[in-house]
């Protein structure tokens, strides 16, 4: 398995003044045997980045290394078939005329496919992705979407690649299938110690499955961290709002506390005194039935919990709170609000950082 390193990688579509830098000076290290999620909204450059690592595109500047070997850089581009990369596209893209066994064995050496060793490898891969061995004789159209994605991963892993790349692999699945398939894929990658990079726009998917998350915005990698660290200490308010649906409110920092329109809270990390923006996670916002300070605008009920959109009275900013599902207030009602736990503050005069 390989360590993947990108240094100052650039790729632009178009030329001259009309060129759009989809990947703009990206630095990223994917440790050997780790699972990295590249997270960002549509159009941020994450799929272009994946295609550069795969070798489907060649960077116009910068270098890509697998371990110490340069696979793309000035004067050198190793073609995809020589990089030992497994690729799992959206929808799985299984060969419809081949059964599951033939799909999984497609990347094996030709002489191995029909041998006992090839059949054993197919069975091993089915076990790995948690599918019954009798599925080997099924056609792709006989499988559910989640099962097709597992077969696609098995096909990618069968030749023992250096790196596996996953392009929005669960985007077409419904919520329950997305969760179970994602867990099965993460378990299979961990079991084989495979270095993997997945691009996704789904923050829950990235945070729950990956060892590290790289957040992309407008062609740049803004922050790369372990999921817990990314959630706890986003590098700027925009990352915080994108990862976890936080609300950003105006505040004033004095000493070790931040004061805002409806209360105050201790700081999670030191910040200079003065005007600031404070990040409030939905689970930090408390809803009190016995007080008045906000109006409930919307309630999205999920059973175990509910997301409550609030508006500070009389015409203040909107906030989102997460409360137990059975305790959710009614839309239109007026409630009191508070904040629990420490908050992250960003001075309003400081520039956005990148790390």
């Amino acid at each position: 398995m390989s360590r993947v390193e990108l240094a100052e990688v650039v790729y632009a579509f178009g030329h001259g003044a009309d060129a759009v830098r989809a990947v703009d000076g990206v630095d990223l290290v994917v440790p050997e045997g780790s699972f990295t999620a590249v997270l960002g909204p549509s159009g941020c450059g994450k799929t272009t980045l994946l295609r550069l690592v795969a070798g489907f595109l060649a960077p116009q500047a910068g270098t890509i290394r697998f371990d110490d070997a340069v696979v793309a850089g000035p004067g050198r581009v190793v073609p995809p078939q020589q990089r030992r990369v497994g690729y799992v596209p959206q929808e799985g893209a299984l060969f419809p005329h081949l059964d599951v066994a033939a799909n999984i064995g497609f990347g094996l050496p030709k002489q191995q496919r029909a041998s006992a060793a090839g059949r054993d490898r197919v069975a091993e891969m089915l076990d790995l992705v948690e599918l019954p061995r009798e599925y080997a004789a099924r056609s792709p159209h006989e499988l559910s979407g989640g099962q097709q994605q597992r077969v696609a991963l098995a096909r990618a892993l069968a030749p023992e690649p250096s790196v596996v790349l996953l392009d929005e692999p669960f985007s077409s699945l419904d919520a329950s299938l997305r969760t179970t398939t994602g867990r099965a894929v993460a378990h299979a990658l961990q079991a084989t110690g495979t270095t993997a990079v997945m691009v996704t726009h789904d923050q829950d998917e990235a945070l729950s499955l990956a060892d590290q998350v790289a957040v992309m915005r407008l062609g740049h990698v803004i922050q790369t961290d372990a999921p817990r660290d990314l959630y706890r200490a986003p590098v700027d308010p925009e990352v915080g709002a994108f990862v976890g649906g936080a609300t950003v409110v105006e505040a004033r920092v004095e000493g070790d506390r931040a004061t805002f329109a409806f209360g105050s809270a201790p700081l999670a990390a030191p910040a200079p005194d003065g005007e600031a923006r404070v990040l409030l996670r939905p689970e930090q916002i408390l809803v009190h039935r016995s007080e008045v300070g906000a109006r409930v605008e919307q309630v999205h009920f999920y059973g175990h919990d509910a997301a409550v959109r609030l508006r500070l009275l009389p015409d203040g900013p909107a906030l989102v709170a997460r409360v137990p599902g059975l305790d959710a207030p009614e839309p239109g009602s007026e409630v009191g609000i508070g904040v629990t736990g420490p908050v992250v503050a960003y001075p309003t005069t400081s520039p956005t950082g990148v790390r």
Side-chain angles (χ1 to χ4, degrees):
M1 308 307 167
S2 294
R3 175 180 186 267
V4 179
E5 181 177 354
L6 289 79
E8 292 296 317
V9 171
V10 173
Y11 189 87
F13 294 98
H15 302 282
D18 295 328
V20 176
R21 285 199 171 198
V23 174
D24 193 359
V26 164
D27 295 318
L28 179 64
V29 175
V30 181
E32 180 181 355
S34 71
F35 185 1
T36 292
V38 179
L39 174 67
S42 297
C44 72
K46 58 187 184 294
T47 295
T48 301
L49 185 69
L50 199 74
R51 292 173 65 81
L52 289 164
V53 176
F56 303 152
L57 299 172
Q60 293 151 352
T63 57
I64 301 173
R65 288 182 170 86
F66 287 3
D67 293 328
D68 294 328
V70 174
V71 296
R76 177 173 174 78
V77 177
V78 176
Q81 65 272 21
Q82 295 178 19
R83 295 191 186 189
R84 293 188 57 229
V85 167
Y87 194 85
V88 181
Q90 294 183 36
E91 312 287 343
L94 300 181
F95 302 116
H97 62 292
L98 300 179
D99 62 17
V100 166
N103 265 284
I104 294 174
F106 185 81
L108 297 174
K110 197 169 184 179
Q111 64 275 17
Q112 185 182 350
R113 295 178 195 172
S115 68
R119 291 190 292 273
D120 288 346
R121 184 62 175 166
V122 167
E124 180 186 351
M125 290 298 99
L126 285 169
D127 292 342
L128 185 66
V129 298
E130 302 174 17
L131 287 176
R133 292 189 176 189
E134 55 266 28
Y135 278 37
R138 294 194 178 185
S139 297
H141 72 268
E142 298 177 288
L143 306 178
S144 70
Q147 290 167 346
Q148 290 184 32
Q149 285 301 98
R150 296 190 195 200
V151 173
L153 177 66
R155 180 178 62 186
L157 288 173
E160 298 182 274
S162 297
V163 181
V164 168
L165 307 175
L166 303 103
D167 183 6
E168 301 268 11
F170 317 121
S171 61
S172 64
L173 306 180
D174 62 39
S176 60
L177 268 181
R178 189 180 303 127
T179 299
T180 56
T181 304
R183 289 173 181 166
V185 166
H187 177 264
L189 293 169
Q190 184 180 42
T192 55
T194 302
T195 305
V197 181
M198 174 182 72
V199 301
T200 180
H201 64 273
D202 188 313
Q203 53 199 270
D204 293 337
E205 197 170 272
L207 293 174
S208 64
L209 299 180
D211 302 313
Q212 74 170 4
V213 180
V215 179
M216 282 195 78
R217 186 167 67 218
L218 299 176
H220 300 275
V221 170
I222 303 299
Q223 181 176 0
T224 304
D225 259 321
R228 186 184 296 269
D229 295 332
L230 178 68
Y231 192 82
R232 180 189 293 126
V235 73
D236 63 29
E238 290 72 28
V239 170
F242 179 68
V243 181
T247 302
V248 180
V249 299
E250 300 298 321
R252 182 166 185 83
V253 172
E254 291 184 2
D256 61 356
R257 294 190 73 83
T259 301
F260 31 88
F262 52 95
S264 68
L267 297 178
D273 286 359
E275 300 303 313
R277 292 183 292 170
V278 164
L279 198 71
L280 300 176
R281 295 291 183 192
E283 61 271 20
Q284 289 186 270
I285 298 177
L286 305 177
V287 176
H288 305 291
R289 300 297 185 89
S290 59
E291 305 171 28
V292 173
R295 179 177 292 106
V296 177
E297 292 189 334
Q298 292 178 326
V299 176
H300 296 283
F301 182 74
Y302 300 107
H304 48 77
D305 64 13
V308 181
R309 181 180 172 86
L310 306 156
R311 177 76 61 179
L312 284 182
L313 296 173
D315 56 357
L319 305 166
V320 176
R322 184 178 296 123
V323 302
L326 297 180
D327 294 338
E330 292 296 322
S333 62
E334 294 184 353
V335 296
I337 57 173
V339 172
T340 183
V343 298
V344 180
Y346 303 89
T348 55
T349 55
S350 68
T352 294
V354 177
R355 71 182 187 193

